[in-house]
């Protein structure tokens, strides 16, 4: 099996309305990342100093040495930046979600107390603010377990949300399989929450953001001033608010760091944005756990439909071998393609099957055409059609013809096959009986190559309709 795990389908071209509480047109969710005291540092048992997300753009880790400037920049976030953000959000009456690094929280009892008194959610941001890309599964699992234990000890309750940020390819699966979290936010792939299937578990994902994020003050391509940050947040809000006004409400995440936006030259941009969104009706500013509770209640996991990309070969061919009439070889070949979540829909699976039909030889495609029965022909009268063909012909009334109509179809069938060498094929579900007859009478005059091309397109259309019934 050649299977591709990334999901490009998502909510699809017409995502459902989030149906936020009180008819809100948008959910604007603020995250305060609390990492100060959890970053790479020799004092924390790490081999090198921190080099990520500071005023020292392009910093490199100092192996075996403490980096006094880097440490003091992080210290600013705890000593001053946090309290500036705390005053802003408590003054505005907006509760936030804290992504709290467990070891950083353990070094910040005063800040933790302030978070709890403000009613802020404290989600887990891992054990340490370090990169997990090179960790073994066992080592990462151990750190995750310790993060939950230490967080519970320091905060007084277990974290219900998870965001690592500096992940490995295993992070999300490990968090999901733990069963410890109401939601996971280690993705950036949507404007709405969604359910991810991890093994037998349905895990809620609430995507996060790296664009509406003050981290871009600390990257080479990013915000150079508060005005740029404010403008980007405002434009994002305006676009999503407009979509919500049109009936497709979305979520906007705003990522903040105490040591970055907590600087006085940047905090005013955030304040302007908070003031801006307060001028609109229908704006919900929840914690992330509130979004999770809403999604669990209003948008629970739907019953699992067929997942072709997860089937074994025999099950796949048994299920889809008849989509192209009497031609299971198409499904057999499609099974060998690079299938993934995008193919677990009628449109996606149809594309895979149609590719194998299109890439087949002319002789093989002709075989598919000749496998189709005549419309209202002898096989139909003898009730020897496949279940799919029987239902399709019945949908257009071809199972209840007058003697004159039946005679007309039989004559057209005979003339068409005699001329072109394969039966007349049309997706009858797209037409009524009169329309089918008109198409029959018009197409019979075409040259055979034109009809071959037309018939192949109709075969693909029939397959699509059959798959839509299955899904």
């Amino acid at each position: 099996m050649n299977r591709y795990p990334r999901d490009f389908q998502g909510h699809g071209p017409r995502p459902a309305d989030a149906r936020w509480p009180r008819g809100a047109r948008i959910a604007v969710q603020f995250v305060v990342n609390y990492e100060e005291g959890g970053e790479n540092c020799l004092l924390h048992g790490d081999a090198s100093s921190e080099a990520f997300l500071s005023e020292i753009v392009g910093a490199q880790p100092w192996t075996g040495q403490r980096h006094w400037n880097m440490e003091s920049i992080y210290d600013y976030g705890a000593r001053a930046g946090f309290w500036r953000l705390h005053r802003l959000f408590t003054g505005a009456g907006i509760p936030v979600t804290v992504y709290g690094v467990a070891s950083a929280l353990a070094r910040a009892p005063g800040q933790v107390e302030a978070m709890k008194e403000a009613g802020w959610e404290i989600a887990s941001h891992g054990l340490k603010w370090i990169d997990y890309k090179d960790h073994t599964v066992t080592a990462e699992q151990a750190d995750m377990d310790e993060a939950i234990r230490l967080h519970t000890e320091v905060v007084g309750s277990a974290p219900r949300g998870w965001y690592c940020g500096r992940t490995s390819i295993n992070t999300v699966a490990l968090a999901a399989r733990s069963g410890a979290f109401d939601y996971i936010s280690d993705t950036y792939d949507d404007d709405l929450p969604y359910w991810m299937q991890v093994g037998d578990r349905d895990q809620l994902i609430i995507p996060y953001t790296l664009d509406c994020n003050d981290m871009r003050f600390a990257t080479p391509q990013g915000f150079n001033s508060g005005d740029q940050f404010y403008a980007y947040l405002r434009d994002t809000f305006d676009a999503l608010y407009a979509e919500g006004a049109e009936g497709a409400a979305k979520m906007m995440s705003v990522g903040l760091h105490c040591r970055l936006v907590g600087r006085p030259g940047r905090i005013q941009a955030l304040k302007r944005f908070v003031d801006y969104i307060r001028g609109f009706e229908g704006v919900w500013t929840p914690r992330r756990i509130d979004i999770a509770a809403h999604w669990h209640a209003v948008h629970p996991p739907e019953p699992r439909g067929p997942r072709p990309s997860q089937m074994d070969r025999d099950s796949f061919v048994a299920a889809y071998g008849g989509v192209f009439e009497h031609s299971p070889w198409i499904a057999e070949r499609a099974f060998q393609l690079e299938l993934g979540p995008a193919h677990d829909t009628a449109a996606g699976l149809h594309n895979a099957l149609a590719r194998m039909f299109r890439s087949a030889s002319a002789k093989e495609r002709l075989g598919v055409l000749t496998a189709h029965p005549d419309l209202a022909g002898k096989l139909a009268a003898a009730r020897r059609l496949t279940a799919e063909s029987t239902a399709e012909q019945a949908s257009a009334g071809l199972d209840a013809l007058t003697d004159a109509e039946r005679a007309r179809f039989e004559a057209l069938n005979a003339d068409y096959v005699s001329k072109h060498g394969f039966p007349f094929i049309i997706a009858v579900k797209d037409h009524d009986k009169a329309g089918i007859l008109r198409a029959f009478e018009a197409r019979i005059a075409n040259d055979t190559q034109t009809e071959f091309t037309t018939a192949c397109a109709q075969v693909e259309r029939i397959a699509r309709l059959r798959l839509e019934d299955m899904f």
Side-chain angles (χ1 to χ4, degrees):
M1 292 174 63
N2 183 16
R3 296 299 176 256
Y4 190 77
R6 292 165 61 189
D7 183 358
F8 298 129
Q9 177 66 17
H11 289 286
R14 290 177 293 278
D17 192 332
R19 290 186 282 161
W20 299 131
R22 298 177 297 280
R25 296 177 178 180
I26 187 173
V28 181
Q29 204 288 303
F30 294 92
V31 170
V32 173
N33 292 266
Y34 196 87
E35 299 155 352
E36 290 75 13
E39 79 279 9
N40 283 287
C41 179
L42 265 64
L43 296 175
H44 305 158
D46 301 306
S48 304
S49 63
E50 186 56 69
F52 192 43
L53 293 189
S54 79
E55 302 300 324
I56 309 172
V57 178
Q60 297 297 314
W62 290 7
T63 301
Q65 299 183 61
R66 290 176 61 189
H67 193 318
W68 182 266
N69 291 348
M70 182 66 70
E71 290 178 21
S72 65
I73 287 170
Y74 270 75
D75 292 351
Y76 183 92
R79 294 162 58 102
F82 170 81
W83 298 109
R84 193 166 280 124
L85 287 169
H86 185 267
R87 290 191 293 271
L88 172 59
F89 285 115
T90 55
I94 296 176
V96 306
T97 288
V98 176
Y99 287 163
V101 174
S103 56
L105 295 176
R107 297 183 173 107
Q111 289 88 340
V112 170
E113 183 176 77
M115 297 171 194
K116 294 172 65 176
E117 289 179 350
W120 292 3
E121 175 202 2
I122 309 178
S124 181
H125 199 6
L127 178 63
K128 301 173 69 175
W129 177 231
I130 60 175
D131 205 324
Y132 280 90
K133 67 182 180 63
D134 295 322
H135 277 55
T136 65
V137 172
T138 301
E140 185 173 4
Q141 180 69 71
D143 271 15
M144 187 176 293
D145 292 342
E146 176 60 12
I148 296 170
R149 187 205 67 77
L150 181 59
H151 182 111
T152 304
E153 182 180 277
V154 170
V155 176
S157 58
R160 296 169 60 189
W162 171 268
Y163 174 75
C164 176
R166 298 166 80 171
T167 63
S168 77
I169 196 66
N170 303 304
T171 305
V172 171
L174 288 174
R177 288 175 183 140
S178 75
F181 303 108
D182 292 3
Y183 70 88
I184 295 170
S185 286
D186 271 312
T187 68
Y188 313 95
D189 53 4
D190 216 298
D191 300 310
L192 285 173
Y194 62 89
W195 294 96
M196 175 185 285
Q197 294 178 352
V198 181
D200 294 329
R201 177 177 174 79
D202 290 304
Q203 175 65 58
L204 180 64
I205 305 296
I206 303 182
Y208 187 47
T209 178
L210 295 181
D211 66 317
C212 292
N213 194 309
D214 67 356
M215 67 175 287
R216 292 182 59 194
F217 283 116
T219 59
Q221 190 282 319
F223 305 123
N224 292 321
S225 70
D227 289 343
Q228 293 176 340
F229 185 44
Y230 168 70
Y232 194 88
L233 296 182
R234 181 199 61 210
D235 288 351
T236 301
F237 174 87
D238 288 347
L240 295 177
Y241 188 87
E243 292 180 14
E246 294 170 357
K250 301 293 194 309
M251 174 188 73
M252 176 182 176
S253 296
V254 181
L256 307 168
H257 296 76
C258 303
R259 64 192 175 278
L260 296 178
V261 79
R263 293 281 177 175
R266 297 169 183 150
I267 195 73
Q268 289 300 101
L270 179 60
K271 185 179 185 301
R272 286 201 300 274
F273 179 68
V274 169
D275 291 341
Y276 179 74
I277 66 174
R278 294 174 78 179
F280 291 78
E281 64 176 358
V283 178
W284 184 37
T285 52
R287 304 169 303 173
R288 237 161 169 75
I289 194 65
D290 302 321
I291 292 176
H294 173 82
W295 214 263
H296 277 270
V298 179
H299 303 281
E302 296 180 355
R304 297 185 184 184
R307 299 179 67 190
S309 68
Q310 301 301 309
M311 292 180 175
D312 60 53
R313 181 183 181 280
D314 290 345
S315 299
F316 185 91
V317 175
Y320 307 114
V323 170
F324 282 76
E325 190 83 4
H326 293 298
S327 302
W329 59 267
I330 294 176
E332 291 168 358
R333 293 181 188 178
F335 181 80
Q336 303 300 323
L337 292 175
E338 183 190 78
L339 303 182
H343 299 97
D344 293 339
T345 65
L349 183 56
H350 179 260
N351 181 268
L353 294 169
R355 283 175 58 189
M356 298 300 91
F357 176 62
R358 294 166 191 164
S359 62
S361 67
K363 181 179 179 180
E364 288 173 319
R365 283 180 286 152
L366 178 60
V368 176
L369 301 188
T370 56
H372 275 261
D374 291 334
L375 292 182
K378 294 179 180 179
L379 289 179
R383 301 184 182 279
R384 292 175 57 196
L385 298 180
T386 63
E388 294 85 356
S389 290
T390 298
E392 288 158 1
Q393 295 205 20
S395 71
L398 300 186
D399 61 339
L401 300 175
T402 66
D403 290 342
E405 288 172 334
R406 184 173 294 104
R408 180 60 178 151
F409 268 105
E410 289 177 353
L412 286 169
N413 283 331
D415 290 346
Y416 186 96
V417 173
S418 176
K419 179 176 181 179
H420 298 299
F422 48 85
F424 175 77
I425 300 172
I426 192 169
V428 296
K429 284 190 174 182
D430 290 334
H431 304 275
D432 58 16
K433 182 168 54 180
I436 293 169
L437 273 171
R438 285 195 298 272
F440 211 154
E441 290 167 345
R443 284 173 49 189
I444 199 170
N446 288 337
D447 64 87
T448 296
Q449 185 55 52
T450 297
E451 269 308 285
F452 183 84
T453 301
T454 302
C456 286
Q458 289 297 309
V459 163
E460 292 187 22
R461 175 63 180 162
I462 292 167
R464 176 60 182 269
L465 293 169
R466 289 178 176 180
L467 286 168
E468 288 177 358
D469 287 342
M470 292 180 181
F471 282 82

